[in-house]
Amino acid sequence: MIKVKTLVAGLMLSALPLQAQTPIYLDDNQPIESRVEDALSRMTVEEKVALTHAQSKFCSPGVARLGIPEFWMTDGPHGIRPEVLWDEWEQAGWTNDSCVAYPALTCLAATWSPEMSYLYGKSIGEEARYRNKTVILGPGVNIYRTPLNGRNFEYMGEDPYLASRMVVPYVQGVQENGVAACVKHYALNNHEANRHTTNVIVDDRALYEIYLPAFKAAVQEGKTWTIMGSYNQYKGQHGCHNQYLLNDILKGEWGFDGAVVSDWGGTHDTNQAITNGLDMEFGSWTDGLSNGASNAYDNYYLAMPYLQRIQSGQVGTAELDDKARRILRLAFRTNMNRNRPYGSMRSPEHYAAARKIGEEGIVLLQNNNQVLPIITTNQPRIAVIGENAVKMMTVGGGSSSLKVQREVSPLDGIRQRAAGQAEVLYARGYVGDASGEYNGVVTGQNLNDIRSAEELLAEAVQLASGVDYVIFVGGLNKSKHQDCEDSDRTGLELPYNQDAVISALARANKNLIVVNVSGNAVAMPWVKEVPAIVQAWFLGSEAGNSLASVLFGDVNPSGKLPFTFPARLVDVPAHQLGEYPGTPDEYGIYQQNYNEGIFVGYRWTDKQKKVKPLFPFGHGLSYTTFAYGKPKADSKTMSPYGQLTITVPIKNTGSREGQEVVQLYISDKKSSLPRPVKELKAFNKVSLQPGEEKEITFTIDKESLCFFDDARHEWVAEPGQFEAIVAASAGDVRGVVPFALD
Ligand code: BGC
C-alpha cells in the first residue's frame, strides 16, 4: 500500500488507487456498517453529542469537520412544508418553496390501493429530495379510535391490517429518493386533547393487535429509516423516551436499526432521553429562545446536560455511540448517498398523481335513485352550495399545513368540468370559518360574509329550488376543534348550522348531492332525506378536479371507508366505555384507559350486533354493480406451516368499467381468549369491464389466524374451526368458507 501521508503533490494524489485516498466512511463501495464504524471512530464525544439534538427548528448538525452534512427535517405528510425561520414556526417567506398538496392520508387509505400509496410516497419523496430534505415527518399511522381526534385526517384509519398494507409502499416510495420517512407518532397518540399530559393504559393484546402492527410493518417491511416518538405517555413515560415502546419493542423485538426522532417538544428528561431509546431531539422549548441561555439549543436535554453527565462520569458513552451509529446510518442512507436521484417539484406528474389518488379515494356513500353521476345531455342547471366549495383547505390543521402552488376548489373544478355543458351557480349557504392563515402562509381569500344565517339559508334554498341538481359541499375544515392538530372536535355533529341547511336543501330539490369534506366521520341526521352522499376528504391541490371527475362520472368511484361512520358518538367504544379524555390525576396527568381493548371500530360494531353504524368500515359504492360468486378454499384444512388459498369470482354486472375492493375477513370460531367476530386479513382492488368476470385469489397463512396471547407474550394460532369471509364491506358479507387449522 502506498503511504498517502508521504505524498504531497495534488497531481500525484489523484493518481492513487481509490482506497488509498478515500477514508472508508466516504467510500460508497464499502458496506454501510463499515462506514458507520469508521466515521464513529473519527468523532469526538462533543461531535457525537451534537448529532443528537437540533440546531434550529427543523435542522440538526452533521459533522462539518468530516464532511457529514446537516440533517433537514420537513413536514409531512401531505406535501413539503414551506421553509420556516431558523428559530420560529413562522414561514421564512421564500418564494420558491410552494409545493403540490397530495390528498390527506385518510383519502389515501380509502383508495385501498398499495399502488396509489407507492405513487404517493414516490411523488412526495421527489419533492422532498428536490428541496434537499433528509427526512419527511410522516406518514402517520395512529389508529382511528375516536372520531373526535383532530388528527385522524393525517392517519390511515381504524384497521391495523389496512394501515399496514398502505404504509409500507409509502415508505418505500419516499426512501427510493434517498429521503427518510419518519413514521409517526409512535405510539398510542390516538387523540389530541391534552396530548402532552395523557398517559395511555392499554392491555398488551390491544397494543400488539391494534396499535402497533402498522408501525411494525413500516419497520420490518417498509424498512423505514426513522420513527417519531409520540407526545403522550405510556406506562408513565413519554413516547419519545419510552423504555417499553422504543427499547424493548421497536429496537429489541423488531430490530429497528434507524433513528428515533422526538416529536417537537416531546422530550422531557435528560436521563430518560439518554437511556430510553431517543436518538434525535427536536423542538424542545419550541419558541427556541426561552431557556435563558444565549443558545437554547445548547440547553436541549441531549445537549450540554448530556455532555456534562458524560464528562463528570455520571453516564458512560455506550448509549451515545448507539445514537451516533443510528444517525450516521441515516446519513449514509440519505444525505451522504451520492447515488440518490435529484428529485423534482410541482411537476405535471405530481399533479397527476395527486389527482388520481384523490379520484381513487373519494367514497360514494349513498346513491339513491342514481342521482349520480350528473348527466349533462340536457344542459342542466347546477347549484353548488356551501363554504367548503370555495374554501382553501391546504392551509391550516397544524403541522401538515402547506403553501401550495395551486389548489383547485370544488367549485372551480365543477365549473371547469361543466363548461359548455351545464350552468353552474353558487350560494354560500352558511358561514363557517372565514379565516385563512397558518404561520404566515395566507390563503388570500376573503370569505367574510356578514349576512345572517337566515339570509344565507334563504338565498341557498331559493337557488336550489330552481335547478336540476344541487351539490352541497360542506363538512369540517382545518380550524381548531375540527380536523386540526392540538385540539379535538367537540362532538360528532357538523358545525355551523349545516344540518339545517342540508335538510332545507333536501326539501327544496330532490336531486341533492351532499359532499362531505373531512378527515373524520360526521353525524348525518338527514341521511334519509338526501339521495346522494359523497365522502370527499381533504384532497389537496387537485381537490376540485378529482371531485368533479367523480361527480360527472369520468371516473367511477372506487374508494371505501377506512373507518366506521358511527350513527352516534356513544356507539364508539372509546366514548361508551371510556372516560375520554379523562380527568387529570393529582399530577395533572389524564389517565386514559382503553377499556375497549381490541374492540376498536368494526370489531366493536360486530360485537354489538344490534347497533348499526351509519356506514360500515370498508363501505363504498360504485356507478356499476358487482356480483360476488361463491368463494372456495383449496382445502378444508390448513397446516400451521402451510397456506390456504381462497378464490372468489367477481363479475361486473353493470354497464360501465369499475373497480371493486374485495375484502377477506377471518373469523375464529372458538378461542381461549375473546376474539373479534371477524378481522380484515386481505383485500384486492380489481378493475372490471362491463360483463367481465375475474377470479380473485387470496392466500393466507398462520399469521392471518393469530392473536396475541398477552400471558405468553407471543402470537398464537389455535387449532380449530375458522371462517374465511368474503365481503364488500364489514357490514356486507357476500360469502363464507369454513376451514380448520390443524
Ligand atoms: C407534530 C408532528 C410534526 C412536528 C413538526 C409536532 O407538533 O406533532 O407531527 O411533525 O410538530 O412540525
Side-chain angles (χ1 to χ4, degrees):
M1 234 10 166
I2 302 167
K3 285 204 179 110
V4 182
K5 274 190 204 156
T6 59
L7 299 170
V8 278
L11 200 69
M12 290 180 72
L13 205 63
S14 65
L16 289 173
L18 191 65
Q19 64 269 41
Q21 297 175 30
T22 313
I24 293 173
Y25 81 96
L26 287 176
D27 184 351
D28 286 336
N29 297 316
Q30 298 289 337
I32 280 204
E33 292 310 309
S34 314
R35 298 177 73 187
V36 166
E37 292 309 319
D38 182 46
L40 192 72
S41 71
R42 296 167 190 267
M43 287 167 60
T44 65
V45 166
E46 287 78 5
E47 284 168 340
K48 292 176 191 172
V49 169
L51 278 185
T52 65
H53 61 273
Q55 62 178 6
S56 83
K57 190 61 79 190
F58 280 100
C59 166
S60 63
V63 190
R65 184 178 63 84
L66 297 178
I68 297 171
E70 294 169 332
F71 297 84
W72 279 92
M73 317 279 157
T74 181
D75 286 297
H78 304 144
I80 309 306
R81 185 175 179 151
E83 299 300 324
V84 300
L85 296 171
W86 190 256
D87 256 344
E88 314 279 337
W89 291 110
E90 194 73 0
Q91 72 144 337
W94 289 19
T95 53
N96 58 355
D97 59 346
S98 62
C99 68
V100 173
Y102 298 88
L105 293 191
T106 35
C107 175
L108 176 63
T111 67
W112 292 61
S113 165
E115 293 92 272
M116 286 302 113
S117 187
Y118 173 75
L119 176 66
Y120 196 126
K122 176 177 172 295
S123 310
I124 199 172
E126 285 168 357
E127 301 229 347
R129 169 65 188 107
Y130 191 84
R131 287 265 300 278
N132 214 10
K133 301 302 178 191
T134 325
V135 179
I136 293 184
L137 304 174
V141 287
N142 294 92
I143 289 293
Y144 191 112
R145 177 173 180 256
T146 159
L148 301 193
N149 178 16
R151 269 189 117 168
N152 278 336
F153 72 102
E154 287 186 67
Y155 302 143
M156 297 192 182
E158 73 183 28
D159 185 73
Y161 181 79
L162 176 63
S164 300
R165 290 310 98 223
M166 296 303 286
V167 71
V168 169
Y170 183 118
V171 170
Q172 291 168 335
V174 167
Q175 295 191 165
E176 278 173 19
N177 292 286
V179 172
C182 187
V183 182
K184 65 192 189 183
H185 306 90
Y186 183 76
L188 300 165
N189 185 179
N190 305 102
H191 62 257
E192 289 296 288
N194 323 308
R195 59 184 179 164
H196 297 275
T197 49
T198 288
N199 179 48
V200 173
I201 302 164
V202 62
D203 60 64
D204 273 4
R205 266 196 87 189
L207 182 69
Y208 277 79
E209 290 186 27
I210 305 293
Y211 296 101
L212 295 186
F215 289 104
K216 184 181 179 191
V219 168
Q220 294 194 329
E221 296 173 60
K223 310 265 182 234
T224 185
W225 293 329
T226 69
I227 288 269
M228 185 188 289
S230 61
Y231 282 140
N232 55 282
Q233 298 181 9
Y234 168 64
K235 294 197 178 176
Q237 294 177 1
H238 283 94
C240 295
H241 32 72
N242 190 295
Q243 171 65 27
Y244 315 98
L245 294 172
L246 298 176
N247 284 343
D248 296 348
I249 299 176
L250 176 71
K251 294 180 177 178
E253 291 177 19
W254 301 347
F256 176 62
D257 70 357
V260 171
V261 178
S262 79
D263 199 346
W264 269 235
T267 312
H268 300 272
D269 180 276
T270 296
N271 293 336
Q272 287 191 19
I274 294 171
T275 57
N276 292 0
L278 177 64
D279 300 309
M280 300 177 94
E281 177 190 1
F282 277 84
S284 303
W285 308 293
T286 50
D287 65 2
L289 296 168
S290 64
N291 201 42
S294 58
N295 182 359
Y297 296 100
D298 286 346
N299 291 284
Y300 269 36
Y301 295 97
L302 286 182
M304 267 157 31
Y306 192 7
L307 194 58
Q308 279 155 5
R309 279 171 173 73
I310 292 174
Q311 284 166 344
S312 67
Q314 262 177 283
V315 299
T317 51
E319 294 92 354
L320 181 65
D321 282 345
D322 181 58
K323 294 178 204 301
R325 278 193 181 94
R326 292 170 181 277
I327 300 165
L328 288 168
R329 224 170 263 141
L330 175 64
F332 294 122
R333 287 165 167 168
T334 58
N335 56 21
M336 292 199 75
N337 170 5
R338 273 182 281 224
N339 298 319
R340 64 187 169 149
Y342 291 104
S344 54
M345 289 257 343
R346 303 180 293 251
S347 65
E349 290 79 9
H350 291 174
Y351 281 108
R355 179 170 181 163
K356 182 145 180 58
I357 294 161
E359 289 169 351
E360 288 225 8
I362 290 172
V363 182
L364 179 61
L365 292 175
Q366 178 160 294
N367 194 18
N368 298 338
N369 314 326
Q370 297 191 353
V371 169
L372 285 171
I374 291 169
I375 310 289
T376 53
T377 32
N378 293 329
Q379 291 275 335
R381 297 178 80 226
I382 301 171
V384 176
I385 292 165
E387 182 169 289
N388 285 357
V390 292
K391 186 175 171 69
M392 270 184 81
M393 288 294 186
T394 52
V395 176
S399 55
S400 63
S401 182
L402 297 171
K403 179 162 93 183
V404 290
Q405 184 189 35
R406 67 168 195 254
E407 176 177 341
V408 181
S409 71
L411 180 61
D412 285 344
I414 290 167
R415 280 210 167 115
Q416 281 160 29
R417 173 57 184 80
Q421 300 177 24
E423 188 184 354
V424 178
L425 305 147
Y426 176 71
R428 181 75 170 267
Y430 68 93
V431 173
D433 186 344
S435 67
E437 191 269 342
Y438 188 81
N439 285 345
V441 177
V442 290
T443 62
Q445 292 186 299
N446 182 357
L447 294 178
N448 292 322
D449 195 326
I450 53 160
R451 288 177 292 170
S452 69
E454 291 71 32
E455 287 172 296
L456 291 161
L457 182 62
E459 180 196 50
V461 168
Q462 196 194 8
L463 185 68
S465 44
V467 296
D468 301 292
Y469 290 99
V470 179
I471 307 173
F472 174 84
V473 187
L476 307 179
N477 56 35
K478 301 279 191 72
S479 307
K480 201 167 163 58
H481 294 304
Q482 301 220 27
D483 282 326
C484 184
E485 181 179 344
D486 204 18
S487 67
D488 281 346
R489 297 166 66 200
T490 53
L492 193 61
E493 302 73 33
L494 282 176
Y496 319 129
N497 195 36
Q498 290 180 77
D499 287 338
V501 177
I502 294 169
S503 289
L505 294 176
R507 287 192 293 274
N509 194 309
K510 66 177 184 359
N511 287 337
L512 172 62
I513 300 144
V514 169
V515 176
N516 182 54
V517 175
S518 75
N520 254 319
V522 300
M524 298 185 178
W526 32 261
V527 68
K528 294 207 169 81
E529 303 155 28
V530 174
I533 307 173
V534 174
Q535 177 59 32
W537 317 114
F538 299 106
L539 295 174
S541 284
E542 290 283 355
N545 290 333
S546 299
L547 180 63
S549 301
V550 168
L551 295 178
F552 287 84
D554 307 331
V555 164
N556 194 350
S558 63
K560 298 232 182 186
L561 290 178
F563 52 80
T564 308
F565 263 60
R568 304 169 308 167
L569 192 59
V570 68
D571 297 342
V572 178
H575 298 276
Q576 188 171 118
L577 304 180
E579 68 279 25
Y580 162 91
T583 38
D585 65 13
E586 57 193 303
Y587 306 104
I589 302 297
Y590 293 77
Q591 302 294 340
Q592 181 62 195
N593 272 293
Y594 285 15
N595 290 329
E596 71 283 4
I598 55 172
F599 295 99
V600 175
Y602 66 88
R603 288 164 170 80
W604 176 257
T605 316
D606 279 352
K607 195 165 134 76
Q608 299 312 296
K609 295 191 176 76
K610 282 193 197 122
V611 182
K612 279 243 175 305
L614 187 59
F615 298 107
F617 170 81
H619 170 75
L621 304 174
S622 164
Y623 297 148
T624 187
T625 45
F626 301 100
Y628 285 58
K630 199 171 158 33
K632 288 196 192 92
D634 64 346
S635 165
K636 286 198 170 70
T637 53
M638 183 175 133
S639 123
Y641 308 103
Q643 293 181 325
L644 189 76
T645 301
I646 293 128
T647 50
V648 58
I650 310 288
K651 185 171 184 183
N652 182 345
T653 47
S655 55
R656 51 171 302 164
E657 183 273 336
Q659 298 191 82
E660 169 71 337
V661 178
V662 185
Q663 300 157 41
L664 182 83
Y665 297 81
I666 297 291
S667 180
D668 187 352
K669 301 321 283 177
K670 195 160 167 254
S671 159
S672 57
L673 291 179
R675 297 206 66 180
V677 172
K678 62 179 185 299
E679 294 185 284
L680 183 74
K681 292 297 171 185
F683 59 87
N684 196 324
K685 191 166 191 173
V686 57
S687 170
L688 293 166
Q689 295 299 322
E692 191 184 6
E693 182 174 283
K694 278 186 190 160
E695 191 161 81
I696 309 298
T697 303
F698 296 111
T699 304
I700 55 164
D701 58 17
K702 185 180 142 194
E703 204 184 314
S704 313
L705 313 184
C706 282
F707 60 86
F708 189 79
D709 186 334
D710 37 5
R712 288 159 62 183
H713 199 81
E714 64 183 15
W715 291 93
V716 174
E718 287 176 344
Q721 285 303 311
F722 289 83
E723 280 173 358
I725 299 173
V726 175
S729 80
D732 185 3
V733 171
R734 300 294 179 95
V736 176
V737 199
F739 66 94
L741 176 68
D742 258 352

